Amino acid sequence: MIKTTAFIISLGLFCTTAMARNDLLTFPFNAVVEQAYADGILDRSISFKLAGASPTDVKQNYGEFSSNKKTNAVGKSDEKACKWVLLSVLKSFQARAKSLGGNAVINLESNYKNKRYSDPNSFQCGAGTIMAGVAMVGEVVEL
C-alpha cells in the first residue's frame, strides 16, 4: 500500500512538471496595434512605437514607465493569448499617457522577467500551460 501511494504521488509530480512550460515567444507588434485601432480597442490619439522605430521630435518627455500583465491562456493559441495580453499592456500605457497629457508611448521594449528585448518590429511574450504574460517598458511623451 505504501509503495503504491508513493508511486502515485511520484507519477503526479512528474506529470505536473512535464506539463509546465514557459516559452518565450516573439510576435509582430504593429499588426496588433493597427487591428486594435481598427476595432476601437485603442484610441488613435495615442501612438505606440517600439525602440528603434520611435520618432525623435519629442516636445515633452514624461518619463519611463512599465507594465506587466498576465492572461488566462487555457484553450487559446499562444499567439491569441499573447496578442490579448499585449493589448492589456498597451491599454495601461494609453491610460498613463492620457493622464499625463502625452500623445505617444515610444521606445517600447519587451522586459519579460526583467530581460530587455528591443526590436523595431516585434514584442516578446511568455507563454505557459495556463498563463501568458507580456512586460514592457516605454516612455510617455508628447510629440
Side-chain angles (χ1 to χ4, degrees), residues 21-82:
R21 70 182 180 96
N22 188 20
D23 299 333
L24 189 56
L25 307 173
T26 303
F27 294 102
F29 179 81
N30 290 330
V32 178
V33 173
E34 289 305 318
Q35 188 63 52
Y37 285 145
D39 293 343
I41 296 168
L42 293 175
D43 183 342
R44 286 191 185 273
S45 69
I46 307 294
S47 63
F48 299 93
K49 299 294 181 188
L50 292 169
S54 295
T56 56
D57 55 338
V58 174
K59 292 179 186 173
Q60 174 75 39
N61 188 318
Y62 296 99
E64 183 176 86
F65 300 94
S66 64
S67 181
N68 182 353
K69 302 290 184 183
K70 305 274 189 258
T71 193
N72 180 341
V74 175
K76 299 179 186 110
S77 69
D78 288 344
E79 184 175 11
K80 183 175 182 176
C82 288

Side-chain angles (χ1 to χ4, degrees), residues 86-135:
L86 173 64
L87 293 177
S88 293
V89 166
L90 295 179
K91 286 169 66 175
S92 71
F93 277 119
Q94 177 177 269
R96 176 68 64 117
K98 285 182 174 186
S99 73
L100 294 172
N103 62 3
V105 183
I106 64 170
N107 293 321
L108 280 161
E109 294 179 309
S110 294
N111 194 32
Y112 194 73
K113 293 192 174 181
N114 292 316
K115 292 182 182 164
R116 292 222 182 173
Y117 169 83
S118 182
D119 182 284
N121 300 306
S122 60
F123 71 99
Q124 286 188 324
C125 173
T129 306
I130 60 171
M131 299 293 286
V134 169

